[in-house]
């Protein structure tokens, strides 16, 4: 497909170049002006035209890749076609979303959100950071997507059959998370590690007791692929020192079985600028080195399964720090100042870290790490007794890239790409000779970047997306809160070429993953009429045509309702004030895009009924009155007539 497109692009470019070359050229655009005239009129350069040719998709044509991006504070996930950078969907994860009926009465979505209750409290936003596509043998398999909520230490599980959130889980051991979500190479586990340390048992402890009472943690959530859910009862956690653990990546190939996570504030600063005069930012970045954590999760799994030395804290199985030390589950590796990314190379042989306050990326050899562990080549132990591997013994190389290196992706051809936050650029460097190749400026303040399949065993490279925090002057001003900007970069050759700007309308996204579109196999309609998206199976309460009815049992009223263009059956629901009403809804539609909505006035209820979907809503009819209910999707010529009345008698 790429080759075909490339040939087409070359041909088209030749035509345009010809057109630009002379006014006598007669290549006419559909609106009358020649392509050359259009280009001249709009002041487009050759590079602009090439970029347009590489990104434009005529109507009906599909993208080669799909990008899943964190939706930042929206608590949602953005689904974007690459290279067109067209927004395809916004998947609601931690935040209610009315169009999808997520959190507005539909039973399954309410249940998913309820899983995310934080200490019994509804928290209706999420700070989504890092999406992770499920993997098989270190390759994206396109089946599931996971994402974390940093603010509330939660994890969501999304099925890529219907692009809907199936499960939300709160980790009671953590205040906030950051090394989340990352998956092991066969999605055995979904990794979540804490950011800012708190007491694991959720109790109070004064900051003066920081070293004794505060702790970090990394949880390995067991993913049950058949159930499409995380199974908390088979998940385990390692207690970690109260450093602020950061991004993670799972080893693969030779490093399979290990996970690496960066950290900062190994100084264990406790801030308090108002009294100590030392703000967190200074206290937490005082040392030249922080610690990359190397964790043997496969051995930790055995320790967990043996049950030896485990503690139960807030319902979670925790391997205490001393057990991790004695069992050889955890080692620390010095890494330069305030690191962020910890990225395992595609071959699994090296780990790349970037320290925001150091101009280098540091590349560690997994083999050397193993040797250092075997030979106890330690430079010491941290205050908790965790062995610190000797920096020089495990370092493979350092590459000076520029200011503020943050996060690294790979192209599968020996190329590595590192975002430079301060320099607001992307550096391309070589994994073969560890030299800087070139840089490209981006607009502005890049955080992470995502290359096509860029953190799998076999990256495609091809496209790179810069996730920029600032846009400054790129777009029409829309008030002081500026759009955040994704920039698409062609990395098929040198030099890299900036192709496209995509302001995203929400903020702040942190990370994205890009999968080959043909690896996704979503349903076009639900597999059968009466299918429950929550159970991912046929719904025993589904209603078939002719079976619609209203059943009363004391003050409980069960309505069995169907929807098909362009009516609900039944259309009249008469209940008494105070009744508990349950409406079982089934869409009898089987055609693509034949979606209905079901909204009840003044009840905070709106459900999206996709073809074949079965749902339930439940409420107490506590206010007498007349409430129209209607279809909230423009489904047919008689959509406005797709309506009914809920009559609540006093
Ligand atoms: S993150 S750039 Cu690096 Cu979670 Cu935000
Ligand atoms: Cu059904 Cu509108």
């Amino acid at each position: 497909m790429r080759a075909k497109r490339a040939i087409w692009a070359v041909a088209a470019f030749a035509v345009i170049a010809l057109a630009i070359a002379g006014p006598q050229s007669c290549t006419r655009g559909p609106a009358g002006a020649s392509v050359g005239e259009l280009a001249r009129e709009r002041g487009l350069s050759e590079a602009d035209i090439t970029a347009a040719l590489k990104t434009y998709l005529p109507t009906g044509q599909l993208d080669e890749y799909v990008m899943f991006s964190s939706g930042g504070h929206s608590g949602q996930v953005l689904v974007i076609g690459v290279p067109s950078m067209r927004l395809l969907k916004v998947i609601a994860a931690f935040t209610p979303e009315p169009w999808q009926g997520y959190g507005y009465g539909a039973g399954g979505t309410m249940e998913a959100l309820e899983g995310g209750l934080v200490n019994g409290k509804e928290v209706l936003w999420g700070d989504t950071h890092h999406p992770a596509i499920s993997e098989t043998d270190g390759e994206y398999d396109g089946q599931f997507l996971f994402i974390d909520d940093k603010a509330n230490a939660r994890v969501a599980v999304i099925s890529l059959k219907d692009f809907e959130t199936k499960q939300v889980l709160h980790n009671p051991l953590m205040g906030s998370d950051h090394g989340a979500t990352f998956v092991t190479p066969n999605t055995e586990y979904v990794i979540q590690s804490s950011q800012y340390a708190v007491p694991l048992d959720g109790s109070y402890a004064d900051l003066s007791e920081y070293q004794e009472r505060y702790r970090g943690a990394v949880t390995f959530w067991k993913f049950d692929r058949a159930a499409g859910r995380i199974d908390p009862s088979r998940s385990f956690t390692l207690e970690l020192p109260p450093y602020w653990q950061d991004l993670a990546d799972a080893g693969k190939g030779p490093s399979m079985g290990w996970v690496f996570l960066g950290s900062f504030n190994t100084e264990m600063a406790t801030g308090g600028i108002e009294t100590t005069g030392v703000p967190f930012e200074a206290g937490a970045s005082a040392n030249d080195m922080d610690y990359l954590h190397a964790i043997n999760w496969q051995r930790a799994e055995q320790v967990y399964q043996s049950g030896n030395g485990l503690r139960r804290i807030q319902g979670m199985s925790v391997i205490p720090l001393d057990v991790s030390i004695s069992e050889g589950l955890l080692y620390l590796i010095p890494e330069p100042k305030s690191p962020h990314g910890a990225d395992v190379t595609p071959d699994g042989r090296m780990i790349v870290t970037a320290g925001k306050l150091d101009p280098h990326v540091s590349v560690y050899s997994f083999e050397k790490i193993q040797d250092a562990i075997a030979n106890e080549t330690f430079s010491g132990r941290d205050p908790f007794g965790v062995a610190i591997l000797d920096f020089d013994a495990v370092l493979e190389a350092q590459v000076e890239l520029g200011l503020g290196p943050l996060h690294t992706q790979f192209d599968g051809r020996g190329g590595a790409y590192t975002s430079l936050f301060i320099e607001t650029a992307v550096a391309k460097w070589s994994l073969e000779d560890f030299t800087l190749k070139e840089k490209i400026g981006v607009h502005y303040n890049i955080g992470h970047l995502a290359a096509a399949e860029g953190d799998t065993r076999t990256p495609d490279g091809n496209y790179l997306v810069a996730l920029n925090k600032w846009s400054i002057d790129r777009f029409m001003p829309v008030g002081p809160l500026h759009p955040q900007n994704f920039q698409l970069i062609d990395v098929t050759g040198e030099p890299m070429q900036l192709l496209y700007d995509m302001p995203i309308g929400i903020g702040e996204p942190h990370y994205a993953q890009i999968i080959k579109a043909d690896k996704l196999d979503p349903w076009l309609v639900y597999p059968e009429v009466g299918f429950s998206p929550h159970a991912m199976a046929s719904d025993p309460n589904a209603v078939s045509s002719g079976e619609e009815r209203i059943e009363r049992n004391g003050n409980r009223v069960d309505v069995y309702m169907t929807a098909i263009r362009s009516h609900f059956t039944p259309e009249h629901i008469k209940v008494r004030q105070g009744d508990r009403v349950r409406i079982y809804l089934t869409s009898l539609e089987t055609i693509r895009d034949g979606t209905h909505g079901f909204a009840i006035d003044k009840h905070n209820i709106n459900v999206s009924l996709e073809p074949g979907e079965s749902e339930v809503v439940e409420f107490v009819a506590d206010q007498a009155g007349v409430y129209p209910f209607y279809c909230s999707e423009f489904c047919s010529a008689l959509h406005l007539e797709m309506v009914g009345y809920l009559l609540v008698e006093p």
Side-chain angles (χ1 to χ4, degrees):
M1 169 157 183
R2 263 197 87 72
K4 221 169 73 194
R5 215 187 37 219
I7 291 165
W8 175 83
V10 167
F13 187 76
V15 169
I16 291 165
L18 252 171
I20 296 174
Q24 69 281 11
S25 160
C26 57
T27 311
R28 293 271 146 200
S34 77
V35 178
E37 276 161 15
L38 274 177
R40 266 195 308 278
E41 230 168 74
R42 299 193 57 211
L44 300 179
S45 68
E46 268 188 38
D48 297 334
I49 296 165
T50 318
L53 289 175
K54 286 180 178 176
T55 53
Y56 175 70
L57 277 189
T59 182
Q61 288 197 17
L62 308 183
D63 280 295
E64 190 177 352
Y65 293 98
V66 172
M67 174 162 76
F68 294 96
S69 166
S70 123
H73 311 59
S74 76
Q76 298 165 335
V77 177
L78 307 180
V79 186
I80 296 163
V82 175
S84 73
M85 302 304 277
R86 296 182 296 195
L87 177 64
L88 303 174
K89 196 169 204 176
V90 178
I91 305 171
F94 301 104
T95 307
E97 201 290 312
W99 175 54
Q100 294 160 43
Y102 187 76
Y104 293 92
T109 69
M110 302 308 280
E111 222 177 282
L113 274 172
E114 227 163 74
L117 291 182
V118 178
N119 304 331
K121 230 188 273 167
E122 250 185 9
V123 179
L124 296 181
W125 80 291
D127 185 11
T128 55
H129 272 241
H130 315 114
I133 299 167
S134 59
E135 292 181 14
T136 300
D137 195 22
E139 305 283 4
Y140 298 153
D141 58 34
Q143 295 182 5
F144 295 92
L145 183 76
F146 309 93
I147 188 144
D148 70 311
D149 161 19
K150 166 171 168 165
N152 308 292
R154 294 186 293 183
V155 166
V157 180
I158 295 164
S159 166
L160 294 179
K161 281 320 249 183
D162 61 358
F163 287 53
E164 287 190 5
T165 300
K166 304 299 169 184
Q167 184 183 27
V168 179
L169 272 178
H170 170 237
N171 193 326
L173 302 172
M174 298 177 186
S176 48
D177 72 40
H178 202 223
T181 51
F182 295 88
V183 297
T184 54
N186 292 297
T187 323
E188 296 92 343
Y189 291 97
V190 179
I191 300 160
Q192 181 188 30
S193 57
S194 57
Q195 179 112 82
Y196 308 119
V198 296
L200 298 187
D201 60 5
S203 66
Y204 174 82
D206 193 78
L207 279 165
S208 60
E209 298 176 283
Y210 187 84
Q211 293 203 28
E212 303 76 59
R213 299 282 310 278
Y214 288 53
R215 286 293 178 269
V218 55
T219 296
F220 292 84
W221 292 109
K222 180 74 196 163
F223 186 59
D224 181 339
R225 212 183 266 266
R229 295 284 196 283
I230 284 170
D231 182 353
S233 75
R234 290 192 288 150
S235 305
F236 62 92
T237 298
L238 270 71
E239 176 190 20
L240 297 176
Y243 310 140
W244 292 348
Q245 282 78 21
D246 208 39
L247 297 173
D249 201 4
K252 49 189 166 235
S255 55
M256 169 72 181
W258 287 74
V259 64
F260 304 91
L261 44 123
S263 68
F264 60 107
N265 195 18
T266 51
E267 297 84 352
M268 295 184 278
T270 54
I273 184 172
E274 62 285 358
T275 49
T276 61
V278 186
F280 268 118
E281 66 189 281
S285 60
N287 296 348
D288 284 339
M289 292 285 190
D290 287 295
Y291 298 129
L292 177 69
H293 297 44
I295 296 169
N296 186 336
W297 67 261
Q298 279 184 335
R299 194 182 291 179
E301 182 185 52
Q302 291 165 7
V303 170
Y304 159 65
Q305 281 162 357
S306 77
N308 291 339
L310 286 195
R311 281 172 59 202
R312 286 293 281 183
I313 306 176
Q314 303 213 67
M316 306 278 283
S317 298
V318 180
I319 302 176
L321 204 40
D322 55 340
V323 175
S324 288
I325 294 167
S326 63
E327 295 287 338
L329 309 183
L330 170 68
Y331 297 91
L332 301 174
I333 299 168
E335 56 176 345
K337 226 174 162 100
S338 300
H340 198 51
D343 302 288
V344 176
T345 53
D347 61 11
R349 290 179 44 240
M350 291 177 281
I351 303 104
V352 178
T353 69
K356 297 180 297 275
L357 301 180
D358 181 283
H360 302 88
V361 285
S362 300
V363 185
Y364 299 90
S365 150
F366 179 72
E367 202 183 315
K368 290 181 182 176
I369 292 172
Q370 293 309 302
D371 288 348
I373 291 171
N375 303 325
E376 303 198 355
T377 317
F378 303 152
S379 56
R381 291 188 178 264
D382 82 342
F384 305 90
V386 186
I388 303 167
L389 307 187
D390 182 73
F391 179 65
D392 296 316
V394 296
L395 189 73
E396 183 72 35
Q398 284 193 308
V399 191
E400 186 169 338
L401 298 181
L403 300 178
L406 207 75
H407 174 230
T408 300
Q409 292 267 285
F410 307 98
D411 67 9
R413 298 183 288 272
Y417 303 81
T418 302
S419 54
L420 302 174
F421 175 77
I422 298 171
E423 206 170 310
T424 210
V426 174
K428 178 180 180 182
W429 53 284
S430 165
L431 282 174
E432 274 139 27
D433 58 11
F434 301 114
T435 54
L436 173 65
K437 296 294 178 198
E438 54 161 327
K439 286 190 204 177
I440 184 169
V442 291
H443 310 94
Y444 299 93
N445 290 21
I446 180 174
H448 285 233
L449 31 69
E453 308 236 331
D455 61 6
T456 66
R457 238 166 22 82
T458 56
D460 283 15
N462 297 339
Y463 297 106
L464 188 75
V465 174
L467 282 69
N468 303 331
K469 312 288 181 193
W470 288 16
S471 65
I472 307 185
D473 54 1
R474 293 294 95 180
F475 306 108
M476 198 169 302
V478 288
L481 185 60
H482 288 48
Q484 303 212 340
N485 188 19
F486 286 1
Q487 287 187 306
L488 180 70
I489 299 167
D490 180 347
V491 294
T492 49
E494 284 174 12
M496 298 181 266
Q497 189 194 357
L498 185 59
L499 297 180
Y500 196 74
D501 279 13
M502 180 200 184
I504 50 171
I506 54 165
E508 175 204 314
H510 294 267
Y511 182 40
Q513 288 187 332
I514 302 174
I515 183 174
K516 278 195 195 94
D518 61 13
K519 283 191 182 174
L520 296 168
D521 183 25
W523 288 323
L524 305 179
V525 298
Y526 279 109
E528 59 186 271
V529 166
F531 193 85
S532 160
H534 191 61
M536 293 297 263
S538 55
D539 186 345
N541 291 313
V543 189
S544 29
S545 175
E547 304 279 291
E548 299 92 345
R549 63 201 183 274
I550 299 178
E551 289 174 358
R552 172 177 284 281
N553 219 316
N555 69 343
R556 214 182 104 180
V557 179
D558 287 332
V559 181
Y560 293 85
M561 181 183 281
T562 60
I564 191 162
R565 277 158 298 160
S566 298
H567 55 267
F568 295 109
T569 309
E571 292 181 335
H572 296 166
I573 304 173
K574 197 184 261 189
V575 301
R576 292 192 285 268
Q577 187 173 7
D579 282 343
R580 173 165 284 281
V581 183
R582 214 183 283 182
I583 306 177
Y584 296 101
L585 292 152
T586 301
S587 164
L588 302 178
E589 300 287 355
T590 53
I591 62 148
R592 229 175 138 166
D593 229 349
T595 298
H596 298 287
F598 176 79
I600 308 180
D601 292 3
K602 298 171 188 168
H603 281 74
N604 200 36
I605 285 172
N606 185 45
V607 175
S608 170
L609 284 175
E610 288 125 51
E613 179 168 348
S614 178
E615 262 301 353
V616 57
V617 303
E618 190 173 358
F619 59 95
V620 176
D622 50 6
Q623 291 204 356
V626 173
Y627 305 97
F629 59 85
Y630 69 99
C631 170
S632 53
E633 281 281 336
F634 207 120
C635 55
S636 65
L638 293 172
H639 149 79
L640 292 178
E641 291 79 356
M642 192 166 173
V643 65
Y645 277 98
L646 167 69
L647 301 155
V648 183
E649 290 181 296

